[in-house]
Amino acid sequence: MKYTILSSMIFLAVTAVAQQRVALRDGLIIDPESNVAYVMAVGGGITAVDLGTGQARWTSDDAAKPLSIIGNVLLSQVEPKNLESRRTLAIAGLDVRKGGETSAEGAAPLPLNVQASVDETLEGRFVTDARAEDGNAVISWTFIPSARREARARPRQAARDEIVGKRKITDPPSGRLRLDLITGSMTPLSGRSDVALEQQWSLMADEIAPTNKPRYRSADGRHVLESHRIADDRTWEKYRWVISVRETGAKIGVIRSHVSFAPFVVRGSVLVFETTPYRHGGGEPQPAKLRGVSLESGQQLWAIPVREIVRRAPPPP
């Protein structure tokens, strides 16, 4: 794949104001303007999911991990195909108005001790973010080596440090790149990456009314989820979620769930959230899914399997 500009259609995105991104988690982006979720498809690629119906609006195999929306362009990370390509960070811009058609591409080499990936591997986590800046995009990345890799490297690193008298560097490798949305060129920037390594879903302070129940903000900060445990472990859906408008405290819906909390957003009368993989009783294992539940009836409207990026299997001995 050539990492050059493919068309001049990206010009409209350069002159547009970047839309506010809503991220449920790394690689799962909500576009509030278009009422669409951009998700990592289970078999690879990206799917644009209509939040009202759960139907796919379009799919693209040119990239694997949604990062951010700038104008009409979904900036996304391209999945490395082999070990050689993992030494390069590749970014594709997908035109959301044209069915995910690729409008521009860019790539930049990574340090020798860094391997790009779109999900967690035995080597570690490669976390990427994209933000608009002065009509272009700034791509930030951080590589968090796994404990397995650090254990392998520690004796060699300690020996080198002793020889040259260096202090051990504990910060993970990171970097910043400017992506020109016209030419596709990527230029290194000074400074460390400011990418958020973890999404924190902390409990809210008593902003609306005193309560002894856990409360969480939605991903866009507009709504509140109050979690009530209403049964013991013999009941599968043992939690009741009460959804309210954050500004006024007005209750807009109640649903039942098997988990106490999940990152969420409200779009119209639909509660949108992701559940991680699970197995209930003797049933089949369920993959990670993005779900839409009616706030009026409490019933699930749709569920879409999405690619899991967290490595849950134990490492080999």
Side-chain angles (χ1 to χ4, degrees):
M1 182 167 50
K2 295 178 63 179
Y3 302 110
T4 57
I5 185 169
L6 296 185
S7 74
S8 61
M9 295 298 180
I10 195 107
F11 178 76
L12 292 177
V14 178
T15 58
V17 177
Q19 299 174 12
Q20 182 181 5
R21 176 187 63 170
V22 177
L24 287 191
R25 51 96 161 154
D26 189 26
L28 204 167
I29 305 299
I30 305 292
D31 179 356
E33 186 71 19
S34 301
N35 206 37
V36 171
Y38 300 106
V39 306
M40 300 174 67
V42 173
I46 292 174
T47 301
V49 178
D50 187 294
L51 295 181
T53 65
Q55 298 297 312
R57 292 192 183 181
W58 53 261
T59 60
S60 172
D61 294 326
D62 290 344
K65 187 175 188 178
L67 302 177
S68 190
I69 305 164
I70 299 181
N72 58 284
V73 173
L74 177 68
L75 288 176
S76 307
Q77 183 181 346
V78 178
E79 183 162 21
K81 302 300 183 185
N82 49 49
L83 182 60
E84 182 65 27
S85 61
R86 292 179 69 176
R87 299 189 177 100
T88 299
L89 173 58
I91 302 294
L94 308 180
D95 192 325
V96 299
R97 303 172 310 167
K98 297 188 174 183
E101 176 183 314
T102 301
S103 54
E105 296 174 297
L110 294 167
L112 293 177
N113 62 334
V114 173
Q115 294 185 11
S117 62
V118 298
D119 47 19
E120 187 174 5
T121 70
L122 286 172
E123 296 300 311
R125 292 173 55 211
F126 187 82
V127 187
T128 320
D129 193 19
R131 299 179 183 179
E133 185 176 290
D134 299 329
N136 292 302
V138 172
I139 311 297
S140 297
W141 62 266
T142 300
F143 179 66
I144 304 99
S146 65
R148 173 176 177 267
R149 175 167 173 162
E150 285 188 324
R152 273 202 326 264
R154 194 171 296 123
R156 297 193 301 271
Q157 182 63 46
R160 287 196 297 268
D161 290 350
E162 184 177 352
I163 292 172
V164 300
K166 292 194 302 181
R167 177 176 59 86
K168 183 180 178 181
I169 299 175
T170 57
D171 290 334
S174 70
R176 299 169 69 240
L177 299 154
R178 184 184 304 280
L179 170 64
D180 188 309
L181 295 176
I182 296 291
T183 67
S185 65
M186 295 179 72
T187 307
L189 296 174
S190 61
R192 292 188 57 78
S193 166
D194 58 356
V195 62
L197 300 183
E198 302 290 347
Q199 175 68 61
Q200 299 296 325
W201 296 95
S202 58
L203 294 175
M204 289 180 58
D206 289 335
E207 298 177 359
I208 300 173
T211 176
N212 60 355
K213 300 301 181 182
R215 297 186 298 154
Y216 302 86
R217 294 186 186 94
S218 61
D220 59 4
R222 297 172 54 198
H223 297 87
V224 173
L225 183 158
E226 186 172 287
S227 182
H228 301 252
R229 180 156 183 161
I230 58 175
D232 59 27
D233 290 339
R234 291 173 296 180
T235 301
W236 174 240
E237 293 184 327
K238 54 183 174 287
Y239 295 96
R240 182 174 66 236
W241 293 359
V242 180
I243 313 300
S244 305
V245 178
R246 182 183 174 195
E247 184 176 352
T248 65
K251 185 171 71 174
I252 59 174
V254 177
I255 75 163
R256 295 280 296 269
S257 176
H258 68 281
V259 293
S260 62
F261 167 76
F264 73 101
V265 69
V266 175
R267 302 306 303 161
S269 61
V270 180
L271 178 70
V272 180
F273 60 97
E274 182 194 24
T275 53
T276 54
Y278 66 85
R279 185 171 187 169
H280 175 43
E284 292 294 322
Q286 295 297 309
K289 291 183 180 181
L290 185 68
R291 301 176 185 272
V293 174
S294 170
L295 287 169
E296 297 171 346
S297 66
Q299 298 301 307
Q300 180 170 284
L301 301 174
W302 51 265
I304 303 295
V306 294
R307 180 172 175 175
E308 174 75 335
I309 63 173
V310 176
R311 182 178 175 82
R312 301 186 185 277

